[in-house]
C-alpha cells in the first residue's frame, strides 16, 4: 500500500465517523441555545416553541442578520456556541475530524482539515430538517395567519 492509498483509506474512514461527531456538536449546541435563549421567541409564536423551533421557522425566510437578537449578531452567537461544543470533544473525536479531509498542498504534502465550515453547514441543514419534520412546526405553519 502506498502512502497516498493509506491516507485515502484513513480519510475515508474518518469521513464516515465524522458525520456522527458533527451531528453531536450541532445537537449539543442546539440544546444550549434552547436553554439560554428561550426569552427571544417572538410573541407571534406558540408558547410551546423552544428557541430552535423559532429559529428554524425564521431562517426559512430571513438571514441570520434579519432575525432579532439582542446585543450581537445571531450568526456570531451560533458560531461561538458551535465552537465551544467543538472544543469540548474528546481528543479522539477531534483527531477523527482533523483526518476527515486532507487537503493536498501543492508541493508541500497535506494539510489538516478545517472542520468548522462543515459544522456550520450541518447546523443549518439540521435547522431546515427540524422545520420540515417537526409536527408542531408543521401545524403552526399550516395555521399561521401572517
Amino acid at each position: 500500500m502506498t502512502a497516498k492509498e493509506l491516507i485515502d483509506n484513513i480519510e475515508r474512514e474518518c469521513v464516515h465517523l465524522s458525520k456522527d461527531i458533527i451531528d453531536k456538536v450541532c445537537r449539543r449546541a442546539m440544546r444550549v441555545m434552547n436553554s439560554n435563549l428561550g426569552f427571544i421567541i417572538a410573541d407571534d409564536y406558540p408558547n410551546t416553541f423552544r428557541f430552535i423551533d423559532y429559529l428554524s421557522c425564521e431562517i426559512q425566510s430571513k438571514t441570520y442578520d434579519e432575525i432579532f437578537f439582542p446585543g450581537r449578531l445571531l450568526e456570531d452567537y451560533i458560531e461561538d456556541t458551535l465552537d465551544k461544543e467543538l472544543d469540548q470533544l474528546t481528543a479522539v473525536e477531534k483527531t477523527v475530524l482533523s483526518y476527515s479531509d486532507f487537503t493536498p498542498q501543492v508541493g508541500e504534502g497535506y494539510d489538516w482539515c478545517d472542520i468548522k465550515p462543515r459544522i456550520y453547514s450541518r447546523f443549518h441543514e439540521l435547522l431546515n430538517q427540524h422545520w420540515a419534520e417537526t409536527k408542531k412546526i408543521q401545524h403552526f405553519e399550516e395555521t399561521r395567519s401572517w
Side-chain angles (χ1 to χ4, degrees):
M1 178 180 290
T2 68
K4 181 173 180 355
E5 291 170 336
L6 178 61
I7 290 170
D8 289 344
N9 191 28
I10 292 170
E11 182 180 32
R12 190 171 32 258
E13 290 296 321
C14 288
V15 164
H16 175 71
L17 295 170
S18 71
K19 292 175 184 176
D20 287 339
I21 298 169
I22 290 170
D23 278 359
K24 175 181 175 177
V25 168
C26 292
R27 291 186 192 288
R28 283 182 176 176
M30 288 176 162
R31 279 194 297 277
V32 167
M33 289 177 210
N34 273 338
S35 66
N36 292 342
L37 299 177
F39 66 93
I40 292 180
I41 300 171
D43 292 338
D44 298 336
Y45 287 88
N47 48 356
T48 58
F49 268 37
R50 301 192 66 192
F51 180 74
I52 294 301
D53 300 326
Y54 164 76
L55 182 59
S56 66
C57 289
E58 289 288 298
I59 206 68
Q60 299 307 310
S61 61
K62 298 177 183 175
T63 66
Y64 287 123
D65 291 337
E66 294 172 321
I67 299 171
F68 171 74
F69 190 71
R72 64 180 206 187
L73 296 175
L74 178 59
E75 191 168 12
D76 289 343
Y77 175 78
I78 291 169
E79 288 179 5
D80 288 348
T81 305
L82 288 167
D83 290 348
K84 286 176 187 173
E85 293 304 319
L86 179 61
D87 289 343
Q88 291 183 22
L89 292 176
T90 66
V92 171
E93 290 169 322
K94 289 177 185 177
T95 300
V96 167
L97 293 177
S98 295
Y99 289 3
S100 67
D101 182 21
F102 282 112
T103 305
Q105 301 296 317
V106 179
E108 296 181 25
Y110 291 88
D111 198 7
W112 300 109
C113 170
D114 180 9
I115 200 67
K116 289 180 181 181
R118 285 180 51 205
I119 290 174
Y120 302 155
S121 175
R122 180 63 179 151
F123 178 82
H124 195 76
E125 288 173 11
L126 287 172
L127 283 177
N128 287 330
Q129 182 180 343
H130 183 75
W131 177 81
E133 296 176 1
T134 304
K135 289 182 182 185
K136 71 178 176 182
I137 292 175
Q138 291 310 304
H139 177 70
F140 169 73
E141 292 291 354
E142 291 167 3
T143 59
R144 181 194 310 216
S145 61
W146 45 277

